[in-house]
Structures are given as structure tokens and as C-alpha cells.
Amino acid sequence: MTDCPGDGVGAASPMELYEKLTAQGDKVRTLKTAKADKADVDAAVQLLLKLKVDYKHTTGSDYKAGCPPSEDAVVQDGGPSGDGAEEDTVDPWNVSTSSAKGVDYDKLIVRFGSSKVDQELVDRIEKISGQKPHRFLRRGIFFSHRDMHQVLDAYEKQKSFYLYTGRGPSSQAMHVGHLIPFIFTKWLQDVFDIPLVIQLTDDEKYLWKDLTLEDCHRFAVENAKDIIACGFDVNKTFIFSDLDYMGSSPDFYRNVVKIQKHVTFNQVKGIFGFTDSDCIGKISFPAIQAAPSFSNSFPQIFKGRKDVTCLIPCAIDQDPYFRMTRDVAPRIGYPKPALLHSTFFPALQGAQTKMSASDANSSIFLTDTAKQIKNKVNKHAFSGGKDTVEEHRKHGGNPDVDVSFMYLTFFLEDDEQLEKIRQDYASGALLTGELKKILIETLQPMITAHQEKRKQVTEETVKQFMTPRPLNF
Ligand code: TRP
């Protein structure tokens, strides 16, 4: 394959790789059958995916169990990109695909039964808000939705709505990928001038991970600082930890119980894949993530009104929670929440999976120094470039699989500049090192600015945001 990317190709022979893959496949199956710890299964699946990518790079064809490579397997020209061979995995706990271009989002829209954010919707948001659409909308990063047209119809008739998003505080360390929904939610709050609630599911992380309640709650408060640093308006934003708010708000808890009464074990098993050996906390947790979608869960903000429509910006992996929520809403007399779904923020190693806070080398953290950013991008960002400068100049690079280019689509504001970079990279005029330099110089000031804003967030500010109170809107 002449367009074999420069990074990530190990020195193993096709046969060695094949044997490793077969063994790893067995390991994953054994762990799954034994219902091993989620983290162990995840780690094994990650390695399996990585081996599959290496195998494809080395042999030019997809790994198939039971079909060893012929001894003279050579890297071939072109060939299909490998997508479609297997279904992408997208749920609240796993995101993976075998395609270097990342998850096939059009297929996901069909599978999940949501709607595409098309040009017509983007134009409509522009017309109604009177603002240039955010780059995440212009570039298909928020690519899917449910009921956005209803929300906009009502807004045009002076019927406002509120925003709800959240974060599972599983560690102190947040990376740039975690900021995507918050950056976009902040923009929505500004252009529509509406209230926002942010749920920190410290309870969820306690139930799913090997962490103490104290740790989860502490991470919630620490993560709140990074969220606040995104610039939310304290007069329009309520941030809450489930561990604190659930116990102090009878109205919230009443909604949780209502939801719990209207969803069966069979339904959550179908939606989330729970099994008989999952603890009952997990089984009932989806009701807690659903409750903030209903305005009367926040009487201090909505004065007991239950009819204020909710719009939830989130990454597409959270959709199962809200499919369930939309299913119960009419049965308990509430409006269904609308949704805007984002794509995933790819890992440095490639779009086969998303950034993970538990793998330091897969992510750019909000605490990284300028030097760390430079090293990580240069060392780990998967390249769509050619092996040698001569080849690259001659054939050009592939921006569709190049992680540095993908990151620029998230963070470089100027559309024309981005398009020029794409063309220059594809033609070979721009080298991988030069592309990485542009990314480094985009990320460094962005992260530094975030760090300075976070430094200004005091314990007092956090307390203000996290106190149940009326909001201005
Ligand atoms: N479950 C989410 C996570 O683990 C956190 C979350 C709670 C959330 N409510 C939300 C995310 C609403 C998006 C929208 O990160």
C-alpha cells in the first residue's frame, strides 16, 4: 500500500501479528465470558483493535480469524479502508471501529434512528440566533439530532427552552475531548440566552469504577472548575453533583422514582446490556441521568413548571440514556427532551477509538505544558503522511485519517485556512511535520488560556455555581 501511514507500523511479520491477534481474540472472549472487570475487558479490546490496525497496515488486508496470511503476504495498493466489515461499537462505555477514518456516523444515524444535522438545520439556527453557526455545526461535529426543529419552532413563538449536559467525574484529569460538549453548550447558552443545568454523575462513577464515594465527589468538584473555566454565565448555570443534589431535592427524587416505575429491567437490559450480575445501582442509574431532562426536577429554576423543553448537547455515546428518557417522557406526562449529538474526539493514535483519560499518551490533558503538547503531537499523533519526504511530495498525505488534521477541524476557527491546509496536505505541499507544527501552535495557546481561566476559579465560585438557586433568564 503506497499510502501506508508513517506511524504505528510495528516490525512484526504478518504471521507473528496473525498469531498475536488470534491469541488476543481468545483472551477477549474469555474475559467477556468470565464477566471480567470492565477495565480489563476494555484494555484487552483496545489491544485487539490496535493489533488489527497493525495487521492491516502490514498485510494490506483485514484480519480474519481462521485465515492466516499467506507467507508472502505483501502490502498491496489501495484497497478498501476496512470499514463496514464489522459494526462500529458505540455505547456509553465503549467506542471503537476498525476504520482509520473513525466511526461511520451516517450509519450510526440510521442505526440509532436520529436525524442528520443538515445544511438546512444549520441555516435555520443561524437565522434564528442571528449568529454565525459555531464551527462544530459548520463542520459536522455536532452531526445528529432529535427534534431540533420542534425546539426552534417553539423558540420562534417565544417559547424558550433550557440546556442540560453532564460529565461523569472519573478522575481529576480532563482532556481536550471532554471540553467539546461544554464549548458548544456555552455557545448555545450565549446565542439563545437560556438557562443550563450540568449534572456531575459522581454516583455513576462510584457504581462503575473502583473508586470511593469521597474520590468521586472530589473529582466532581475539581471537574466543575474546568467546566466553569469554559466561560459559563453564573447567573444562568446550575452545576450539581448527584451525591449532593439528589438527597436535597425532593422534586428531583420524585422524578427519579417516576422514571424507575416506568422502565422495566428487561428494557434497560436491552438498551444498556446489563446482566443479572450487575449491581442494582447500575440498573437503576439511567433514571438518575434521565431526571434532569424534566424541568420540574429544578423547582428553584423553573418554579414548578414541568413543560419547559430541554435540549441536551452530548456525545453520541450518551444517546441510549436519552432514548430511554424519550420513551418514558410521555408516559409520565412530560415533554421529550431534544438532542444534539457530537462525534467523538479521536485518540492521538487514530480515530479507531476516542481519547481516554486512563491512557496518558492517547490524550492532550488540560494540565499539559506547552512542551508536553509538542512532544505528544510529534510522537503520538497518527499521521496520514507518507514514509519519506520524496513520496509525500509525490503522492500527498491523507487528511481523512490524519489525527493532527482531525484535531484542527475541531479547534482551528478559520474555515479558509483549514481548507488550504487540507488541500496542501493532500497535494504533498505540506509535510507531516509542518502540519503537526500548526496543530501544536493552535493547541498550546488554547490550553494555556484554559489553565489561566481555571486558576481564577475559586472555591467560592464553585460554590456559587453549585448552589441551588433561581437563575436569570
Ligand atoms: N454519563 C455521562 C458520562 O459518563 C455524564 C452525563 C450525565 C451526561 N448527564 C449527561 C453527559 C447529560 C451528557 C449529557 O460522562
Side-chain angles (χ1 to χ4, degrees), residues 92 164-169 181 199-201 204-205 242 285 288-289 292 312-315 318 321-322:
Y164 158 40
T165 190
R167 148 135 188 101
Q199 178 180 48
L200 301 172
T201 52
E204 176 191 16
K205 293 303 145 181
D242 282 344
F285 173 77
I288 299 172
Q289 183 154 334
I312 307 170
C314 62
Q318 297 298 306
Y321 286 109
F322 302 117

Side-chain angles (χ1 to χ4, degrees), residues 186 189-190 193 231-238 465 469:
K186 144 96 178 124
Q189 175 176 62
D190 287 349
D193 189 26
F232 292 105
D233 181 348
V234 69
N235 296 310
K236 296 193 179 73
T237 309
F238 174 47
F465 272 94
R469 66 207 187 284

Side-chain angles (χ1 to χ4, degrees), residues 5 24 103 122 225 228-229 255 287 314 354 359 376 410 463:
Q24 191 62 21
V103 171
V122 176
K225 294 179 187 164
I228 293 168
N255 275 341
C314 62
K354 61 176 180 170
D359 176 1
K376 278 192 196 175
F410 280 83
K463 220 171 127 196

Side-chain angles (χ1 to χ4, degrees), residues 180-450:
I180 305 304
F182 294 107
I183 293 172
F184 187 61
T185 303
K186 144 96 178 124
W187 181 81
L188 289 170
Q189 175 176 62
D190 287 349
V191 305
F192 289 106
D193 189 26
I194 43 175
L196 158 68
V197 297
I198 300 176
Q199 178 180 48
L200 301 172
T201 52
D202 37 15
D203 52 350
E204 176 191 16
K205 293 303 145 181
Y206 172 71
L207 290 166
W208 260 270
K209 308 242 159 182
D210 188 18
L211 295 167
T212 64
L213 275 170
E214 286 64 36
D215 281 341
C216 295
H217 186 262
R218 192 163 47 80
F219 295 153
V221 175
E222 284 307 304
N223 290 178
K225 294 179 187 164
D226 284 295
I227 294 169
I228 293 168
C230 292
F232 292 105
D233 181 348
V234 69
N235 296 310
K236 296 193 179 73
T237 309
F238 174 47
I239 305 179
F240 62 99
S241 124
D242 282 344
L243 292 175
D244 290 336
Y245 188 61
M246 274 273 282
S248 74
S249 172
D251 298 86
F252 190 96
Y253 187 57
R254 276 162 196 246
N255 275 341
V256 170
V257 175
K258 273 194 192 174
I259 300 159
Q260 285 172 342
K261 181 164 173 166
H262 291 83
V263 183
T264 65
F265 182 34
N266 224 5
Q267 284 169 313
V268 289
K269 265 202 269 193
I271 301 171
F272 300 98
F274 296 140
T275 67
D276 287 358
S277 49
D278 277 308
C279 72
I280 60 173
K282 286 187 186 178
I283 292 154
S284 59
F285 173 77
I288 299 172
Q289 183 154 334
S293 316
F294 306 128
S295 58
N296 63 349
S297 294
F298 306 97
Q300 69 283 7
I301 304 174
F302 301 107
K303 319 277 182 271
R305 279 179 62 183
K306 59 172 193 174
D307 62 341
V308 186
T309 306
C310 176
L311 169 62
I312 307 170
C314 62
I316 186 79
D317 62 335
Q318 297 298 306
D319 190 63
Y321 286 109
F322 302 117
R323 284 204 293 272
M324 184 202 86
T325 309
R326 287 168 53 87
D327 185 55
V328 284
R331 288 189 277 131
I332 54 178
Y334 298 147
K336 292 182 180 187
L339 286 135
L340 269 169
H341 300 119
S342 73
T343 62
F344 303 111
F345 196 78
L348 278 164
Q349 285 72 12
Q352 285 86 0
T353 186
K354 61 176 180 170
M355 263 195 183
S356 156
S358 48
D359 176 1
N361 286 332
S362 83
S363 308
I364 306 284
F365 289 100
L366 301 177
T367 47
D368 281 348
T369 61
K371 198 166 157 213
Q372 282 171 317
I373 294 172
K374 183 174 165 198
N375 286 340
K376 278 192 196 175
V377 171
N378 281 335
K379 241 194 173 146
H380 299 291
F382 185 80
S383 167
K386 300 294 182 289
D387 282 347
T388 64
V389 173
E390 292 69 44
E391 284 215 350
H392 189 90
R393 290 273 187 234
K394 197 162 153 211
H395 302 287
N398 182 358
D400 293 341
V401 301
D402 191 284
V403 168
S404 301
F405 183 76
M406 289 182 204
Y407 285 13
L408 285 173
T409 65
F410 280 83
F411 296 121
L412 193 73
E413 178 57 30
D414 190 324
D415 292 340
E416 275 169 34
Q417 196 189 348
L418 184 70
E419 179 53 23
K420 179 152 180 4
I421 292 169
R422 200 186 63 74
Q423 284 174 8
D424 288 351
Y425 194 59
S427 76
L430 190 71
L431 298 174
T432 295
E434 294 165 335
L435 174 65
K436 288 192 171 191
K437 187 158 177 282
I438 301 173
L439 175 65
I440 291 164
E441 287 170 0
T442 306
L443 288 176
Q444 284 173 335
M446 191 185 102
I447 302 288
T448 310
H450 177 87

